[in-house]
């Protein structure tokens, strides 16, 4: 009898903790243009579900990822800027150092069930894969991109099949990949341990190439010219699945106790494989691979009905590194010992008058880098992305001011040499703070 009472008490304790800790869903889109949703300023796009998420949450107008996929994902999962995370380009067989703690690992320690569903792109060797980096469950592909129906690596030969579930290669020829991820999400959430909260990282492979939209959306955008037509149809194809996800969450009664973060990894692609462009960043210069605004400023929304404001915007600067400490705070998880560059941005979300907690943001992509402090931004060897991979590197330093010239067409070095020195000093201090490379 006493044993049964104890079991009930333990179960009630676990259930109470689960209710106190919200579920968390991070939806990470891929190569998604800075302004590419109707609610972010793209008037030609039909994105009712992204817009609905924004209407029930807080949107950021100055939110930052990284110039490229793997670097951005490493920043997200480590809470560190790309150079500290050890990933300034794209991953191959290896990813960021295995000794670095991930957000998923810390969520596990905090009592969360964890799942990564979709694109990984942080290393394909076993020790770098999701199940070894804090995720209890994984379904998706390990490399940079796949054909959405054959699930073969979409780059160059030899062709490599890339679809996995928990370390086992699986074959689902003909199944549309995004549909497959949604099926996995439904199954995972439906069969989860209801006494524990869950952390789901839904790493969407849209609007990354290959562009494979549904025919009905190609027809819908018949008035647009390619590549915008294909890109728009591809993004709206995802928006439709986002709607299915939101409906499922509502049917499961999970709306009120789930934090949903929607964010892109980097700016839009102008690569040949993506038809040379199609994304939209307004007057912002750059795109994927660039440390100009169009490469690193990304759409971002956070929603938690009943807890966060709804239908509001924030102009304060924030970054994907911030989700690590912010989620630990919101989920009541111990943050002792974490090594992050990110800041807790709970106050930014809840208070429209709050200011950015960042003195500076640091971006790296191979030999290019940038540091932003206030409205000033110093760039080194930035890439000016042009359609069909005809990119050009601007050699040396370039000083921009986001308030004076948001398009970053003007170089202010000569007018403000003291700002160059100030930002260089911030950059040098940041680099000096990094651990020495192992020989």
């Amino acid at each position: 009898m006493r044993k049964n009472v104890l079991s009930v008490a333990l179960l009630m304790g676990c259930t109470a903790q689960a209710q106190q800790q919200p579920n968390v869903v991070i939806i990470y889109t891929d190569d998604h243009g800075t302004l590419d949703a109707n609610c972010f300023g793209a008037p030609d796009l039909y994105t009712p579900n992204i817009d609905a998420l924004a209407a029930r949450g807080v949107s950021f107008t100055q939110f930052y990822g990284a110039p490229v996929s793997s670097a951005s994902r490493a920043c997200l999962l480590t809470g560190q800027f790309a150079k500290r995370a050890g990933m300034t380009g794209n991953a191959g067989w290896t990813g960021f150092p295995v000794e670095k703690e991930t957000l998923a690992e810390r969520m596990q320690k905090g009592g969360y069930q964890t799942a990564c569903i979709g694109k990984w792109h942080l290393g394909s060797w076993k020790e770098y894969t999701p199940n070894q980096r804090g995720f209890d469950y994984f379904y998706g592909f390990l490399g940079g991109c796949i054909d959405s129906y054959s699930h073969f690596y979409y780059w160059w030969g030899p062709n490599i099949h890339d679809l996995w579930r928990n370390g086992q290669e699986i074959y689902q020829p003909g199944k549309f990949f995004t549909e497959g991820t949604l099926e996995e999400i439904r199954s995972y959430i439906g069969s989860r341990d209801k006494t524990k909260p869950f952390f789901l990282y839904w790493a969407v492979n849209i609007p990354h190439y290959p562009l494979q939209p549904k025919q009905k959306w190609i027809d819908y955008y018949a008035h647009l010219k390619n590549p915008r037509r294909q890109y728009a149809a591809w993004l709206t194809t995802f928006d439709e699945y986002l709607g299915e996800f939101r409906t499922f969450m509502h049917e499961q009664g999970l709306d009120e106790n789930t934090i949903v973060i929607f964010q892109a990894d980097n700016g839009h692609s102008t690569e040949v494989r993506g038809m040379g462009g199609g994304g939209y960043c307004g007057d912002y210069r750059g795109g994927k691979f660039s440390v100009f605004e169009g490469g690193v400023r990304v759409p971002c929304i956070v929603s938690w009905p009943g807890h966060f404001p709804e239908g509001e915007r924030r102009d304060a600067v924030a970054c994907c590194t911030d989700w690590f400490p912010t989620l630990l705070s919101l989920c009541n998880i111990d943050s002792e010992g974490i090594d992050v560059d990110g800041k807790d941005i709970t106050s930014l979300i809840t208070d429209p008058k709050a200011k950015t907690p960042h003195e500076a943001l640091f971006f790296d992509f191979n030999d290019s880098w940038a540091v932003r402090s206030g409205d000033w931004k110093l760039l080194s060897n930035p890439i000016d992305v042009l359609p069909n991979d005809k990119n050009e590197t601007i050699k040396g330093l370039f000083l921009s001011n986001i308030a004076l010239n948001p398009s970053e067409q003007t170089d202010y070095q000569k007018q403000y040499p003291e700002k160059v020195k100030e930002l260089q000093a911030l950059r040098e201090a940041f680099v000096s703070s990094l651990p020495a490379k192992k020989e």
Side-chain angles (χ1 to χ4, degrees):
M1 181 70 177
R2 184 179 178 184
K3 184 177 180 181
N4 290 338
V5 171
L6 180 61
S7 297
V8 170
L10 288 171
L11 179 60
M12 291 178 64
C14 290
T15 303
Q17 183 185 23
Q19 291 173 343
Q20 291 170 4
Q21 292 180 291
N23 304 306
V24 176
V25 177
I26 296 179
I27 304 170
Y28 225 59
T29 53
D30 199 2
D31 288 5
H32 188 164
T34 304
L35 303 177
D36 269 324
N38 192 267
C39 60
F40 278 99
D44 59 342
L45 289 185
Y46 178 63
T47 53
N49 293 294
I50 297 176
D51 299 349
L53 190 62
R56 295 221 66 187
V58 174
S59 304
F60 288 87
T61 63
Q62 294 195 80
F63 200 92
Y64 291 88
V68 75
S69 172
S70 296
S72 180
R73 291 157 207 273
C75 292
L76 171 73
L77 291 179
T78 65
Q80 299 177 341
F81 294 127
K83 196 168 184 67
R84 191 186 307 280
M87 181 118 286
T88 63
N90 269 334
W93 296 112
T94 62
F96 61 88
V98 293
E99 63 270 17
K100 287 190 177 291
E101 182 183 31
T102 69
L103 172 60
E105 289 170 330
R106 186 57 69 122
M107 297 290 276
Q108 277 183 330
K109 294 174 184 175
Y112 275 72
Q113 303 163 91
T114 59
C116 172
I117 293 177
K119 170 179 175 174
W120 179 238
H121 206 194
L122 286 170
S124 299
W125 283 346
K126 183 178 179 180
E127 61 266 37
Y128 294 94
T129 55
N131 295 121
Q132 309 301 316
R133 307 308 301 261
F135 290 100
D136 304 317
Y137 189 87
F138 172 66
Y139 167 89
F141 60 97
L142 298 171
C145 52
I146 56 170
D147 173 85
S148 288
Y149 293 94
S150 69
H151 315 130
F152 275 78
Y153 181 52
Y154 187 84
W155 200 266
W156 55 66
N159 291 333
I160 300 173
H161 180 262
D162 192 10
L163 187 62
W164 307 81
R165 184 187 287 118
N166 294 328
Q168 299 297 316
E169 188 172 13
I170 60 173
Y171 292 85
Q172 298 178 333
K175 179 184 287 290
F176 182 56
F177 179 69
T178 309
E179 177 67 37
T181 64
L182 196 57
E183 288 178 5
E184 294 286 325
I185 288 170
R186 290 191 183 106
S187 175
Y188 176 77
I189 292 177
S191 62
R192 76 191 190 283
D193 180 350
K194 306 295 193 298
T195 67
K196 297 172 63 178
F198 66 85
F199 167 50
L200 168 65
Y201 171 41
W202 184 17
V204 181
N205 67 323
I206 298 175
H208 196 289
Y209 53 79
L211 308 180
Q212 297 175 292
K214 290 185 177 181
Q215 184 62 48
K216 69 176 182 179
W217 297 120
I218 296 175
D219 296 340
Y220 178 87
Y221 288 109
H223 61 289
L224 298 180
K225 294 182 179 180
N226 278 329
R228 183 62 172 172
R229 180 185 181 186
Q230 289 289 127
Y231 177 96
W234 193 212
L235 187 56
T236 301
T237 295
F238 161 69
D239 187 90
E240 184 176 11
Y241 283 100
L242 176 62
E244 291 187 26
F245 170 76
R246 296 181 69 245
T247 298
F248 169 74
M249 293 291 284
H250 178 72
E251 292 171 347
Q252 294 291 307
L254 295 170
D255 302 58
E256 304 300 321
N257 197 37
T258 302
I259 299 169
V260 176
I261 295 166
F262 175 91
Q263 189 208 312
D265 58 353
N266 50 253
H268 67 286
S269 168
T270 59
E271 296 161 270
V272 169
R273 296 178 183 85
M275 299 181 68
Y280 174 63
C281 61
D283 292 332
Y284 297 122
R285 188 175 187 175
K288 180 181 179 181
F289 306 130
S290 178
V291 291
F292 283 119
E293 290 293 285
V296 292
R297 187 186 291 217
V298 295
C300 180
I301 302 165
V302 61
S303 174
W304 189 12
H307 298 82
F308 291 163
E310 298 189 13
E312 295 189 8
R313 290 192 173 228
R314 300 289 182 264
D315 295 324
V317 170
C319 182
C320 63
T321 58
D322 298 334
W323 293 127
F324 197 135
T326 302
L327 288 173
L328 296 189
S329 175
L330 293 171
C331 298
N332 194 28
I333 295 175
D334 181 20
S335 62
E336 185 178 354
I338 62 171
D339 179 18
V340 299
D341 293 308
K343 309 293 185 182
D344 182 352
I345 58 170
T346 302
S347 62
L348 290 188
I349 298 168
T350 57
D351 181 3
K353 296 181 180 179
K355 299 185 182 300
T356 180
H358 290 281
E359 178 189 7
L361 298 182
F362 300 94
F363 306 100
D364 282 270
F365 173 62
N366 296 333
D367 294 329
S368 298
W369 58 259
V371 52
R372 176 173 176 179
S373 182
D375 291 325
W376 291 99
K377 185 174 165 192
L378 184 67
L379 306 87
S380 176
N381 299 321
I383 297 172
D384 209 8
V385 297
L386 300 169
N388 296 312
D389 299 313
K390 296 179 180 178
N391 301 340
E392 297 178 356
T393 298
I394 300 172
K395 297 294 185 180
L397 297 177
F398 186 102
L399 180 66
S400 68
N401 184 290
I402 305 305
L404 296 175
N405 185 237
S407 64
E408 294 183 287
Q409 296 297 326
T410 302
D411 184 354
Y412 291 100
Q413 284 190 85
K414 292 182 179 179
Q415 296 98 310
Y416 300 94
E418 73 282 359
K419 279 295 173 184
V420 175
K421 293 180 180 179
E422 179 184 320
L423 294 175
Q424 275 184 312
L426 285 174
R427 171 69 186 185
E428 289 167 5
F430 168 66
V431 173
S432 296
S433 74
L434 303 178
K437 289 186 178 180
K438 296 180 181 178
E439 295 297 332

